[in-house]
Amino acid sequence: MTDTASQTITTAVATREGTALDNADSGRVYVLADGTVGAAVIDGIGHGPHTSRTAPLLAETAARLSARRGPLAGLLGAAELVADPGVDGEEADAVAVAVMVRPGRPARGAYVGDARIYGWNGTQLTLYSTDQTMGQWARIHDDVPIEVAAHHDAWVRVSLSQATVATVGEVGIDDHLILLTSDGIHDQIEHTALEALVREHAADPQALADALVAAAEPNGDGYRDDATVVVIVHESAGSTETKDRREETETMVERVNVRVLLLVGSEAEIVADAEDADAPERYPAREIADAVGVPVGLLAGVRLTAVAGAGGRLSGWQLR
């Protein structure tokens, strides 16, 4: 925990080995003298001879550089450690996420591959990163069958060893609670269950981290991936400004009834569930499917609730 005159930042890390060899994940947090926090999660690709040994080094490098120079520099710095395949051609590679959290300021995040950054504002869990996989690329840029896109989710388009300024994604995060996850968390816990765990344990970051790695279930073949999460909570200390603002936001949230009319390519047409409903609007079908735990192909006709935000845009999808 870091504590300054303006803000307290609390962090927690948890990791759990999967069923394949040893743990190729790693999570690290580093704190500067002024209270700035850098954090990173590394998800090693495969279980090669160097992966499990190198992952903690990559996470430590990314966390330290993120705190000092920002998350883009953090990931690019870590990338230099594995940019060369080594004399045996089997140097480690990974996907990764990193954040920089400075007291009193919005957080900054960066990602490469399919590790993820989530934010929790006290009401809903928002995914800030975009998976850099062939499956996600197909959903965005092509009209392909759902099962084909899902099959290609395992193909990472960009890894840490290939990271450049142009291929690392960057985001700003206003939420007071941040999650950094390896895919052993978000691929093996439905979004609704993930959000429920955050809601239950948001006041205790370490309990939340432990609950998330414990909740990841094996797939149908009995395989369970390594699971790693970093939790960061940052809010004003010594005043009620942040708490009051969050409570005011929650009071103003309007949850409305909606339904999915039909699917158009990778988008879902959403309309208010009322006789006088306005024209439908389109939203990414995968975003809704992940949030409510319903396969994309079965979304048509599903009745939901959603939070109406600024400009009437909907988010925070939940089944009715």
Side-chain angles (χ1 to χ4, degrees):
M1 176 184 295
T2 68
D3 195 353
T4 71
S6 60
Q7 189 176 67
T8 298
I9 303 175
T10 306
T11 64
V13 182
T15 188
R16 190 253 313 129
E17 184 175 313
T19 54
L21 301 175
D22 47 10
N23 193 345
D25 284 1
S26 186
R28 290 290 190 275
V29 173
Y30 187 74
V31 185
L32 299 182
D34 67 357
T36 298
V37 170
V41 163
I42 299 292
D43 185 350
I45 296 175
H47 289 267
H50 305 301
T51 307
S52 299
R53 183 178 74 245
T54 306
L57 174 62
L58 297 176
E60 187 72 27
T61 300
R64 285 174 176 256
L65 287 176
S66 293
R68 180 66 178 162
R69 299 297 184 189
L72 174 61
L75 292 188
L76 293 179
E80 287 299 310
L81 303 183
V82 291
D84 187 271
V87 67
D88 58 4
E90 296 184 353
E91 183 53 85
D93 202 355
V95 298
V97 286
V99 294
M100 175 191 200
V101 183
R102 291 176 291 180
R105 302 186 186 183
R108 294 162 50 197
Y111 58 91
V112 59
D114 61 350
R116 290 183 178 179
I117 303 172
Y118 290 91
W120 169 257
N121 66 0
T123 301
Q124 66 186 55
L125 186 67
T126 300
L127 175 61
Y128 281 90
S129 56
T130 300
D131 292 350
Q132 295 174 327
T133 64
M134 284 305 301
Q136 187 63 15
W137 185 90
R139 293 184 186 96
I140 295 172
H141 298 288
D142 203 355
D143 183 10
V144 300
I146 299 160
E147 61 274 11
V148 173
H151 173 72
H152 285 77
D153 280 338
W155 297 8
V156 176
R157 295 177 56 236
V158 184
S159 65
L160 188 63
S161 68
Q162 305 162 330
T164 67
V165 172
T167 60
V168 174
E170 296 183 84
V171 292
I173 310 155
D174 290 326
D175 297 335
H176 73 284
L177 188 153
I178 300 168
L179 300 181
L180 308 182
T181 63
S182 69
D183 64 1
I185 299 286
H186 54 257
D187 278 1
Q188 298 189 270
I189 306 175
E190 294 289 349
H191 185 89
T192 50
L194 186 63
E195 187 172 58
L197 286 171
V198 175
R199 180 176 290 106
E200 179 181 357
H201 299 291
D204 187 339
Q206 191 60 59
L208 173 57
D210 293 339
L212 289 173
V213 299
E217 296 289 342
N219 64 17
D221 298 324
Y223 171 74
R224 188 167 70 169
D225 199 359
D226 305 327
T228 299
V229 61
V230 171
V231 180
I232 304 169
V233 178
H234 59 111
E235 55 185 295
S236 297
S239 78
T240 59
E241 179 182 356
T242 300
K243 180 175 180 289
D244 289 346
R245 185 168 61 250
R246 189 159 64 246
E247 289 178 347
E248 179 183 356
T249 299
E250 293 174 12
T251 301
M252 294 173 61
V253 164
E254 179 187 4
R255 185 164 285 279
V256 296
N257 293 330
V258 298
R259 57 190 170 93
V260 182
L261 283 181
L262 50 86
L263 299 177
V264 181
S266 63
E267 296 186 313
E269 285 204 341
I270 303 296
V271 67
D273 198 1
E275 292 183 0
D276 59 347
D278 294 331
E281 295 184 3
R282 294 185 181 182
Y283 293 83
R286 172 56 54 183
E287 170 191 316
I288 300 170
D290 287 346
V292 302
V294 174
V296 171
L298 300 179
L299 280 177
V302 171
R303 283 179 157 79
L304 310 165
T305 67
V307 173
R313 275 312 270 184
L314 301 177
S315 61
W317 311 99
Q318 293 181 9
L319 287 173
R320 269 196 281 156

